[in-house]
């Protein structure tokens, strides 16, 4: 059965800290892995990863995928209080379904 | 332009009632997804439309759940004979491409509470 496991479940840091969020997965026939930020209601897209070892970067956020070890990490450097949110990882298989499988998320709280 | 909108934002139903949740995707977006998000959980896929065609409904939990997108734009998720376990936030997302693999834009969700 396909699954996505995120860790840690929650994290509290202080402004300026660097955090690393983990997403490990098991899937038949991997296609893509996505990261989302969910602050109140609607998740907002951060990254889509399809190839191993290629870092995607946007400002203080970056992400990389390891298809051999079946995980992805999301890094946030110099955290700010506005980074406080739930970070979701989602997986899609290559064929047979349009279904995205989401993890339960990591709840990040950044203290001033 | 406007993002994805959903209505109502909140719905309270008595057990056994039918409900209809509406999603207005971004104009021109081909792909439309419905998700169910229980408290403290990630979104769970319900169904996927490509224009008016429902290509994947593998996530619908029972035959009480029905979704349609008759003209390839607005979509409605209907839940018949609601039960307490249906209480959740229902999220709709749309994306431009027919593959559904590009950026998904989520609506604010409808919080359904079944008493």
């Amino acid at each position: 059965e396909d699954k996505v496991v995120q860790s840690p479940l929650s994290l509290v840091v202080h402004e300026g800290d660097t955090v690393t969020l983990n997403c490990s997965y098991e899937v038949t026939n991997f296609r893509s892995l996505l990261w989302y930020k969910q602050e109140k209601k609607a998740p907002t897209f951060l990254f889509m990863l399809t190839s191993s070892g290629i870092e995607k970067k946007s400002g203080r956020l970056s992400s990389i995928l390891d298809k051999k070890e079946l995980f992805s990490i999301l890094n946030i450097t110099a955290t700010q209080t506005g980074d406080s949110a739930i970070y979701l990882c989602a997986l899609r298989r290559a064929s047979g379904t349009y279904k995205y499988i989401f993890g339960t998320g990591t709840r990040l709280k950044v203290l001033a | 332009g406007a993002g994805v909108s959903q209505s109502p934002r909140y719905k309270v139903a008595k057990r056994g009632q039918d409900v209809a949740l509406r999603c207005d995707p971004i104009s021109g977006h081909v792909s439309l997804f419905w998700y169910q998000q229980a408290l403290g959980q990630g979104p769970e896929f319900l169904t996927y439309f490509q224009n008016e065609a429902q290509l994947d409904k593998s996530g619908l939990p029972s035959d009480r759940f029905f979704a349609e997108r008759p003209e390839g734009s607005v979509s409605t998720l209907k839940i018949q004979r609601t039960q307490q376990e249906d209480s959740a936030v229902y999220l709709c997302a749309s994306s431009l491409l027919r593959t559904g693999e590009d950026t998904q834009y989520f609506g604010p969700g409808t919080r359904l509470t079944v008493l």
Side-chain angles (χ1 to χ4, degrees), chain A residues 27-40:
Chain A
V27 68
T28 305
N29 209 5
F30 172 92
R31 183 159 190 157
S32 57
L33 184 146
L34 295 86
W35 284 97
Y36 289 87
K37 178 182 182 182
Q38 186 171 29
E39 290 180 82
K40 290 192 176 173

Side-chain angles (χ1 to χ4, degrees), chain A residues 31 38 41 92 97-98 100, chain B residues 37 56 99-101 104 108:
Chain A
R31 183 159 190 157
Q38 186 171 29
K41 287 280 175 64
R92 182 169 167 187
T97 178
Y98 291 85
Y100 284 87
Chain B
Q37 188 172 25
D56 191 336
T99 62
E101 281 192 50
Q104 289 188 35

